[in-house]
Amino acid sequence: MTTRGVLYVHSAPRALCPHVEWAVAGVLGVRVNLDWIRQPASPGTWRAEFSWQGEAGTASKLASALRGWHLLRFEVTAEPCSTAEGERYSSTPDLGIFHAVTGIHGDILIPEDRLRAAVARSARGETELAAEVDKLLGKPWDDELEPFRYAGEGAPVRWLHQVV
């Protein structure tokens, strides 16, 4: 079953750009040439975004292929399909990678065991419940990536299809 998604490379040093393309090509099975533009939110870095189509699980493969580079900020999304929920991956140099399952309308779906653990930590006085829920929703990643998202408005989007 195929799904669709978008890869947003919010910021990458110029020297890393071809490596990102190679990593994405390795996952999608097609040659990838991204349209890189300067990232005004972080001078000296570049950004690119494109839409892809592939098997369910492609978003996790893309995130895994890109997560090893410390200077890279990116997000990968996948729409839900008949065999899988949607997904969202966010990654920043300081926070690492965040993963969330998303529903048909893009809402983050939090498994009950993670909610129970957050409530338990709060009840023990280890943390505030609001802070725990913020982490479950990816708020720290959203806060760090938001300036990079706005800087990318109007950027071109390119469709890529996975070869099966």
Side-chain angles (χ1 to χ4, degrees), residues 8-78:
Y8 303 93
V9 179
H10 291 298
S11 70
R14 189 68 177 154
L16 194 54
C17 295
H19 299 281
V20 169
E21 291 177 357
W22 296 329
V24 172
V27 171
L28 297 177
V30 296
R31 188 165 189 243
V32 174
N33 291 306
L34 301 179
D35 294 323
W36 294 96
I37 59 174
R38 293 185 188 278
Q39 173 53 275
S42 179
T45 64
W46 296 79
R47 61 167 281 103
E49 60 186 72
F50 65 89
S51 296
W52 54 267
Q53 184 172 344
E55 293 180 4
T58 298
S60 64
K61 291 176 184 175
L62 287 168
S64 293
L66 298 175
R67 75 181 184 136
W69 293 308
H70 180 68
L71 299 175
L72 190 63
R73 285 181 182 84
F74 69 89
E75 291 181 278
V76 182
T77 63

Side-chain angles (χ1 to χ4, degrees), residues 44-147:
T45 64
W46 296 79
R47 61 167 281 103
E49 60 186 72
F50 65 89
S51 296
W52 54 267
Q53 184 172 344
E55 293 180 4
T58 298
S60 64
K61 291 176 184 175
L62 287 168
S64 293
L66 298 175
R67 75 181 184 136
W69 293 308
H70 180 68
L71 299 175
L72 190 63
R73 285 181 182 84
F74 69 89
E75 291 181 278
V76 182
T77 63
E79 295 177 1
C81 63
S82 63
T83 60
E85 298 286 356
E87 296 182 281
R88 176 178 146 212
Y89 293 86
S90 302
S91 184
T92 74
D94 294 331
L95 298 172
I97 200 158
F98 168 78
H99 172 254
V101 175
T102 57
I104 193 166
H105 300 293
D107 297 321
I108 292 177
L109 307 176
I110 303 171
E112 66 181 85
D113 62 328
R114 294 184 70 194
L115 284 170
R116 289 179 198 274
V119 169
R121 281 189 296 275
S122 175
R124 290 190 302 264
E126 296 172 12
T127 184
E128 295 292 322
L129 183 57
E132 287 292 310
V133 171
D134 281 348
K135 284 194 291 189
L136 291 172
L137 293 172
K139 185 176 182 327
W141 286 265
D142 286 339
D143 290 346
E144 185 171 331
L145 291 173
E146 199 63 22

